[in-house]
Amino acid sequence: MVYKNCAFVSFDKDGKPRYCSLRGLGGSHFRQDVANSDKSYGFIMQGTGNRVFAFESPIDAISHATLMKLNGMDDTRDYRISEGCLSDKALTRLLADNPQITEIVFCFDNDIDGKDHKGNPHNHGQEFAKRCVEKFKTQEYAVYIQTPNRKDFNADLQYIRLSVLAKLREKQAPSPKVEKVKKQEKER
């Protein structure tokens, strides 16, 4: 059997692949890190400014950049990094290698339906973001949390895409009056 996945690869300073995250395409929910991947090398979208946005997954980083572009903002100025989970290992490495970064925006999932190990409500992504704010604030970074409206920024982007498609279909649908005229012409 052949599977089709998207591979998000991270490299070290020498260009050697260090981390690879696989994600299934289409309706697949397949997610896996390649064996021996080092999560301290996150998937990075290079920037030129002093801000980094931190995400749980590469697709959320890409979706966030797309949302910025759709809103007329420069999506290339800021760094974006995916941790590959709820971690700050890759961010810590990125910050060590890029002293010009002074602002961090934590963009972790909005797990509103999450539960802790006892079954109690727990928003894992947002709770972790709060812990990261406290940690990196003590290191003198300007720190912020940007919460997606839905579960994550990819879900936000998909929602916008579906809304736009629905509006386009409404505009393209013939009006009932036009349909009636066409039906009458066929009957003649």
Side-chain angles (χ1 to χ4, degrees), residues 73-84:
M73 294 181 251
D74 183 357
D75 61 305
T76 62
R77 187 176 142 245
D78 301 311
Y79 289 80
R80 288 180 176 73
I81 188 163
S82 164
E83 295 285 348

Side-chain angles (χ1 to χ4, degrees), residues 50-96:
N50 69 331
R51 180 184 310 134
V52 61
F53 289 92
F55 301 87
E56 289 181 45
S57 72
I59 198 67
D60 288 330
I62 294 166
S63 296
H64 185 269
T66 303
L67 288 165
M68 287 189 75
K69 188 172 187 172
L70 288 172
N71 283 296
M73 294 181 251
D74 183 357
D75 61 305
T76 62
R77 187 176 142 245
D78 301 311
Y79 289 80
R80 288 180 176 73
I81 188 163
S82 164
E83 295 285 348
C85 62
L86 289 176
S87 173
D88 62 17
K89 290 179 185 178
L91 176 62
T92 299
R93 181 182 295 279
L94 177 74
L95 294 172

Side-chain angles (χ1 to χ4, degrees), residues 102-172:
T102 59
E103 285 184 36
I104 307 168
V105 183
F106 296 99
C107 302
F108 297 132
D109 289 4
N110 188 12
D111 301 309
I112 55 174
D113 296 327
K115 306 266 187 231
D116 66 13
H117 66 283
K118 293 180 180 179
N120 298 316
H122 186 77
N123 192 325
H124 301 281
Q126 293 304 295
E127 291 301 319
F128 187 71
K130 290 174 189 174
R131 289 195 305 272
C132 287
V133 161
E134 292 307 312
K135 176 181 178 178
F136 287 94
K137 183 169 51 174
T138 64
Q139 297 174 30
E140 311 228 355
Y141 288 98
V143 290
Y144 310 93
I145 295 174
Q146 186 176 12
T147 306
N149 293 314
R150 285 155 194 78
K151 178 171 179 10
D152 54 39
F153 285 97
N154 185 248
D156 285 353
L157 180 60
Q158 288 178 19
Y159 177 80
I160 288 170
R161 179 183 159 268
L162 292 174
S163 297
V164 168
L165 288 174
K167 286 178 184 174
L168 287 173
R169 284 188 197 111
E170 283 177 16
K171 287 181 180 179
Q172 293 173 348

